[in-house]
């Protein structure tokens, strides 16, 4: 039986200063990349992509919480999930820190932790599925926005550094959307199908949920699986107008502590688009 909670108030839905600060960092560093104002383009790209990635993580979790609120779980307001404050998540380390570390180490947009939804307050299998699907759909929408200049053929005047940064950010969003949509216990994809499974199957799968993300991470180290996965990612990005060269240069600039490919540097002579 769900425990009673206090009535929500306006402060439960007021956008957190923490989130606004992250957005400010994203805006300022994005401007620095666009204008090439920063002394180090790579460092500016690092800050821009990292802050934008954290913003997308916050929006991912907000989408879960907001959908749950409309589905019947009014407890999400009192828990602070509607403020977009990443420090309010159930596991701040898993939700924010770990995904950022994965981006830095491997350029993969692995999904993070989760907001705690009181599923007992929600009635209807479709509502449960929609709550789980809301997160990956947010990443997919973020990817569409990032790639809009590419598939709209609106790249004239867009500086190459900013263009590459958007390409790499889109890569992170697409990987996050696809990985999180996998029907693996512990990931959102499984949350979509779980309400439609029998009680017996759900009980049998439940012990494996904490290890789902770890299993996916381990599988990505298998060369054949890794190649197949990134071929699929490249196909999606090409469909959105982003080339492999652009995403590679974005990741190259992002890793400012390493030597940068001269072709990715601002002002480099390029052949073709």
């Amino acid at each position: 039986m769900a425990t009673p909670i206090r009535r929500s108030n306006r402060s439960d839905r007021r956008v957190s200063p923490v989130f606004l600060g992250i957005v400010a960092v994203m805006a300022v560093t994005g401007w620095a990349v666009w204008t090439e104002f920063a002394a180090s383009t790579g460092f500016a790209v690092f800050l821009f992509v990292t802050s934008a990635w954290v913003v997308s993580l916050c929006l991912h979790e907000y989408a879960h919480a907001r959908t749950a609120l409309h589905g019947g779980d009014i407890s999400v307001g009192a828990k602070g999930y509607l403020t977009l404050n990443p420090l309010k998540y159930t596991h701040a380390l898993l939700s924010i820190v770990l995904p950022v570390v994965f981006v830095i180490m491997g350029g993969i947009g692995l999904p993070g932790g989760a907001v705690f939804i009181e599923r007992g307050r929600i009635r209807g299998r479709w509502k449960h599925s929609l709550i789980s699907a809301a997160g990956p759909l947010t990443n997919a929408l973020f990817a569409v926005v990032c790639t809009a200049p590419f598939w709209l053929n609106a790249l004239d005047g867009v500086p190459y550094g900013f263009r590459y940064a958007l390409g790499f950010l889109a890569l992170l969003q697409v990987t996050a959307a696809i990985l999180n949509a996998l029907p693996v216990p512990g990931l959102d994809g499984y949350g979509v199908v779980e309400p439609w499974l029998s009680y017996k199957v759900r009980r049998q799968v439940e012990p494996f949920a904490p290890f789902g993300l770890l299993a996916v991470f381990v599988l990505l180290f298998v060369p054949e699986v890794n190649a197949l996965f990134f071929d699929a990612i490249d196909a999606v990005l090409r469909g959105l107008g982003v080339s492999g060269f652009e995403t590679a240069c974005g990741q190259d600039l992002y890793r400012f502590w390493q030597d940068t490919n001269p072709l990715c540097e601002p002002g480099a002579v390029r052949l073709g688009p």
Side-chain angles (χ1 to χ4, degrees):
M1 181 176 179
T3 56
I5 59 170
R6 66 173 175 82
R7 186 182 299 274
S8 63
N9 52 52
R10 289 185 179 181
S11 64
D12 292 336
R13 305 185 188 190
R14 187 177 299 128
V15 178
S16 164
V18 175
F19 178 76
L20 292 177
I22 299 170
V23 171
V25 172
M26 180 183 72
V28 171
T29 54
W31 170 83
V33 175
W34 181 283
T35 61
E36 300 180 3
F37 177 80
S40 170
T41 300
F43 184 60
V45 167
F46 173 82
L47 292 177
F48 171 61
V49 172
T50 300
S51 57
W53 172 235
V54 174
V55 166
S56 74
L57 292 174
C58 294
L59 293 175
H60 176 112
E61 302 299 347
Y62 175 83
H64 284 311
R66 190 77 191 189
T67 310
L69 175 67
H70 292 292
D73 182 8
I74 60 174
S75 71
V76 294
K79 293 170 184 171
Y81 297 158
L82 302 178
T83 66
L84 290 160
N85 184 351
L87 301 180
K88 294 292 185 179
Y89 299 149
T90 308
H91 299 289
L93 175 64
L94 294 178
S95 297
I96 300 297
V97 178
L98 200 57
V100 170
V101 170
F102 280 131
V103 170
I104 293 173
M105 292 178 58
I108 299 176
L110 282 175
V115 293
F116 177 71
I117 305 298
E118 295 189 13
R119 295 282 181 170
R121 298 178 180 272
I122 298 164
R123 298 290 181 266
R125 290 183 290 184
W126 281 107
K127 290 181 180 179
H128 284 283
S129 294
L130 185 57
I131 291 168
S132 295
L137 288 175
T138 300
N139 290 115
L141 179 59
F142 208 107
V144 170
V145 172
C146 289
T147 58
F150 298 86
W151 51 264
L152 288 174
N153 295 318
L155 289 169
D156 290 343
V158 177
Y160 277 98
F162 192 82
R163 175 175 174 171
Y164 297 153
L166 284 182
F168 181 51
L169 184 57
L171 170 69
L172 299 180
Q173 299 304 323
V174 172
T175 56
I178 291 179
L179 285 172
N180 226 355
L182 295 174
V184 174
L187 299 181
D188 289 331
Y190 178 74
V192 173
V193 301
E194 183 183 26
W196 307 90
L197 301 176
S198 68
Y199 176 76
K200 180 181 179 180
V201 171
R202 294 200 304 269
R203 287 299 302 270
Q204 290 175 335
V205 172
E206 187 177 357
F208 300 99
F211 309 103
L213 180 57
L214 178 61
V216 170
F217 181 66
V218 171
L219 279 175
L220 286 175
F221 276 96
V222 178
E224 294 79 8
V225 175
N226 187 279
L228 181 64
F229 174 72
F230 278 101
D231 283 346
I233 298 298
D234 288 340
V236 172
L237 289 171
R238 284 197 302 270
L240 293 170
V242 184
S243 70
F245 177 77
E246 287 162 327
T247 56
C249 275
Q251 185 172 6
D252 196 57
L253 288 173
Y254 182 82
R255 294 179 172 177
F256 67 94
W257 56 90
Q258 298 178 349
D259 292 335
T260 302
N261 185 336
L263 291 177
C264 299
E265 291 283 5
V269 177
R270 301 172 180 85
L271 300 176

